[in-house]
Amino acid sequence: MNSADVVGIGMIVLFTVFGIVLGTVRAGFSFGGIVLAFQVTDRMLLNEASKGSYIATFLGIFIVLTIAGVLFYGATKIHPIDSLEGVFGAILGFCVGWGIARFIFSIYWFYIPDAAFTANIQAGSLVAWDIFNITPYQTLMSRTTSLRNPDF
C-alpha cells in the first residue's frame, strides 16, 4: 500500500462518515456536485485549462451544490426513508469520497505528472488506480452492454 492508496481510502472513509451525518438529501446534492463538476472539468481538460482554473471550477461547483443541498434540506426537512437516512447517506458519501479522491488524483495525473505521488497512483497496490480509472463503473458498463444495446 502506497501513499496514493492511503489518500484514496482516507477520502472514501472520511466522506462516508460525512454522508452518514449529512443524510441522503445533503449527500445527494454533494454527489450531484461531483458528477456535474467532473462533466465540466473534463471538458476543460480537452481545452487545456490551467491547473488553477481546473481546481477552482471543480471546487466551486462541488461547494455550491453542497451548500444548495444544506439549504434545501434546511427549508424542507425532507427524508426519503427516515430509518435508512444514514444508510443512503453513507452510500452517497462513499461515492462523494471516491469523486474527491479521483479529483486529487486527476490534479496530479494531468498537471504534476513528474511527481512521485503520480507514479504511486498507477502503481497503487490496493485501490488508487481503480479510483482514478473508475474501474468498477467500466466493469459494470462492459458487463451490461448486451442489456443496453440489444440486437433487434
Side-chain angles (χ1 to χ4, degrees), residues 4-149:
D5 290 327
V6 172
V7 168
I9 292 169
M11 289 293 107
I12 290 172
V13 168
L14 178 69
F15 280 93
T16 300
V17 171
F18 284 159
I20 292 169
V21 173
L22 293 174
T24 306
V25 172
R26 291 172 282 191
F29 270 83
S30 292
F31 179 65
I34 291 286
V35 171
L36 181 61
F38 270 121
Q39 288 179 347
V40 171
T41 55
D42 285 349
R43 286 192 204 117
M44 290 175 64
L45 281 174
L46 295 175
N47 295 325
E48 300 178 5
S50 68
K51 180 171 73 170
S53 64
Y54 178 84
I55 292 170
T57 301
F58 185 93
L59 291 177
I61 292 170
F62 172 68
I63 291 169
V64 164
L65 279 174
T66 299
I67 291 171
V70 170
L71 294 174
F72 178 78
Y73 178 78
T76 62
K77 300 289 188 210
I78 290 177
H79 293 284
I81 300 174
D82 258 344
S83 61
L84 294 176
E85 183 72 6
V87 174
F88 291 139
I91 293 168
L92 290 168
F94 177 89
C95 295
V96 170
W98 189 292
I100 293 294
R102 185 176 186 277
F103 168 65
I104 292 168
F105 294 166
S106 296
I107 293 169
Y108 277 91
W109 192 263
F110 296 116
Y111 294 106
I112 315 169
D114 298 330
F117 187 78
T118 306
N120 286 342
I121 294 169
Q122 190 168 15
S125 60
L126 195 57
V127 296
W129 183 246
D130 290 338
I131 289 171
F132 177 72
N133 204 28
I134 312 178
T135 305
Y137 174 76
Q138 292 173 344
T139 302
L140 176 69
M141 295 306 284
S142 67
R143 289 185 180 178
T144 59
T145 301
S146 62
L147 296 173
R148 291 180 289 112
N149 300 316

